Amino acid sequence: MSFPDTRFRRFRKTPALRRMVRETRLSADNLVLPLFACGGSGIAKPVSSMPGVFQHSVDRLAETAREAYAEGVRAVLLFGIPETKDATGSSSWSQDGIVQRALRAITSEVPEMVKIADVCFCEYTDHGHCGVLDGEVVDNDATLENLARQSVSLAAAGADVIAPSDMMDGRVGAIRKALDAAGFADTPILSYAVKFASAFYGPFREAAESAPAFGDRRSYQMDPANAREAMREAAADVEEGADMLMVKPALPYLDILAGLRQRFDLPLAAYHVSGEYAMLKAAAERGWINYDRVMMESLLAIRRAGADLIMTYAARDAARLLAEGWTE
Ligand code: PBG
């Protein structure tokens, strides 16, 4: 059947009709709020390139988590800015480490909040790379041992989900083995399986103070040109025992996300990264776009492409709009 028998506009006439046939919905249950923990107390230091995002001392971070929970956000993703950095990033596996302290503080302040811990070394190493160096190269296999240590330490401090973002080969298997051996067989691994070497991470590196001191991350993160390799990366992580897969960044890589959705039945996450958020904020600040509408449309598009979970700095804004009955 075609026009005039078929008229697509019949179900577009009213808000109620449109809602009735809507295929994709956004819910606060799908949102994860990234948070940055730093030392000290009473600190909320704004990140200049990401309006609304702060480095929080552990006390303020726990309060922020409580406020976000009250707004409907059910999960946070934790990053740490440690007091000291060294060549291996050893503070990342200390029980007294910054994220370990943040995990305990959130647990006591908002026990219901799901705590996802990012596992990587770029915030913890004095050279800003995501693992141990051998000369100027990140040593994959030596880094695996440290990833396992960091993961076990984070699980012991109360992380509900372990999320490795380092892009070393074999890490999911190494982390799974270490978690199981340490008595954390029930702790799931959310693998940043498909993480591209992206310029969209720029503002995050200010937020996390994690820019590499030399070179870039192209020898371990993926080439933005590669879609088939993304499927191989994902398959390898599934094979090694990943419980959930992530694609990162989100909007420029929706084809990858949709491809993963077709091939895998695991839950999928997408990271709407710092640069994506900064662009929305900057354009809105100039009055060039409507932040609420473009942000909600972006998140909906990420869901439509196949993401169950969306990591986004806009999580609180979106949760508030949804609670107010946003239906656009
Ligand atoms: C750590 C990590 C990064 C991001 C998440 N985990 C930065 C990077 O790989 O350089 C980026 C998140 C964002 O841009 O919002 N490796």
Side-chain angles (χ1 to χ4, degrees):
M1 278 226 287
S2 56
F3 181 82
D5 304 301
T6 298
R7 286 180 183 272
F8 293 105
R9 292 179 52 184
R10 287 174 190 137
F11 274 131
R12 293 177 193 160
K13 277 183 301 204
T14 67
L17 285 169
R18 292 195 291 272
R19 277 205 293 281
M20 197 171 74
V21 298
R22 182 158 296 154
E23 299 174 30
T24 310
R25 283 196 162 75
L26 196 59
S27 148
D29 294 331
N30 306 122
L31 306 175
V32 179
L33 176 69
L35 292 174
F36 299 93
C38 66
S41 68
I43 294 170
K45 188 178 163 208
V47 176
S48 65
S49 51
M50 300 169 74
V53 176
F54 300 83
Q55 292 182 354
H56 284 115
S57 51
V58 168
D59 55 326
R60 296 293 294 271
L61 189 99
E63 278 170 29
T64 304
R66 180 165 39 71
E67 288 164 18
Y69 194 87
E71 290 163 352
V73 174
R74 295 292 176 255
V76 292
L77 173 63
L78 297 172
F79 296 95
I81 301 107
E83 284 104 338
T84 57
K85 304 193 185 208
D86 62 19
T88 57
S90 63
S91 75
S92 68
W93 62 78
S94 155
Q95 264 318 290
D96 214 25
I98 185 71
V99 172
Q100 285 82 352
R101 272 143 52 202
L103 284 164
R104 292 192 294 265
I106 297 173
T107 304
S108 70
E109 185 93 13
V110 220
E112 308 80 9
M113 184 66 97
V114 174
K115 299 173 294 293
I116 306 175
D118 182 88
V119 171
C120 193
F121 294 106
C122 56
E123 303 108 276
Y124 302 94
T125 51
D126 48 20
H127 45 74
H129 278 287
C130 302
V132 186
L133 291 184
D134 177 10
E136 295 216 332
V137 176
V138 177
D139 183 332
N140 191 88
D141 299 15
T143 301
L144 294 182
E145 271 176 50
N146 292 346
L147 286 165
R149 279 194 194 118
Q150 186 185 159
S151 300
V152 168
S153 170
L154 292 166
D160 298 298
V161 180
I162 293 295
S165 69
D166 52 284
M167 290 303 277
M168 298 303 120
D169 288 319
R171 73 207 204 267
V172 172
I175 291 170
R176 183 70 274 157
K177 205 166 139 224
L179 287 173
D180 291 358
F184 298 107
D186 285 338
T187 301
I189 297 176
L190 190 181
S191 172
Y192 285 64
V194 184
K195 177 172 176 179
F196 290 94
S198 171
F200 283 92
Y201 307 151
F204 173 94
R205 293 181 186 166
E206 179 202 339
E209 300 179 11
S210 64
F214 61 88
D216 54 43
R217 304 207 202 290
R218 283 176 232 239
S219 72
Y220 40 103
Q221 299 181 349
M222 281 190 62
D223 184 336
N226 294 357
R228 291 191 301 269
E229 188 189 356
M231 300 304 139
R232 294 180 63 213
E233 275 278 7
D237 284 6
V238 172
E239 186 78 12
E240 289 176 34
D243 300 284
M244 191 183 311
L245 302 174
M246 175 137 71
V247 174
K248 177 183 174 190
L251 282 187
Y253 297 89
L254 292 187
D255 58 327
I256 307 289
L257 186 59
L260 251 67
R261 181 73 295 164
Q262 281 201 335
R263 309 243 304 231
F264 301 97
D265 292 328
L266 280 77
L268 294 182
Y271 201 140
H272 180 237
V273 302
S274 57
E276 301 179 69
Y277 176 80
M279 292 195 304
L280 286 175
K281 284 287 181 182
E285 223 168 80
R286 294 192 163 198
W288 290 353
I289 61 167
N290 176 310
Y291 172 77
D292 288 353
R293 296 187 57 203
V294 179
M295 181 270 289
M296 293 300 266
E297 184 178 329
S298 301
L299 300 185
L300 185 73
I302 296 166
R303 287 274 295 143
R304 192 198 60 237
D308 299 296
L309 275 192
I310 306 173
M311 311 356 218
T312 176
Y313 303 95
R316 292 180 68 176
D317 296 331
R320 262 184 252 125
L321 291 171
L322 289 165
E324 286 164 12
W326 181 273
T327 53
E328 213 172 88

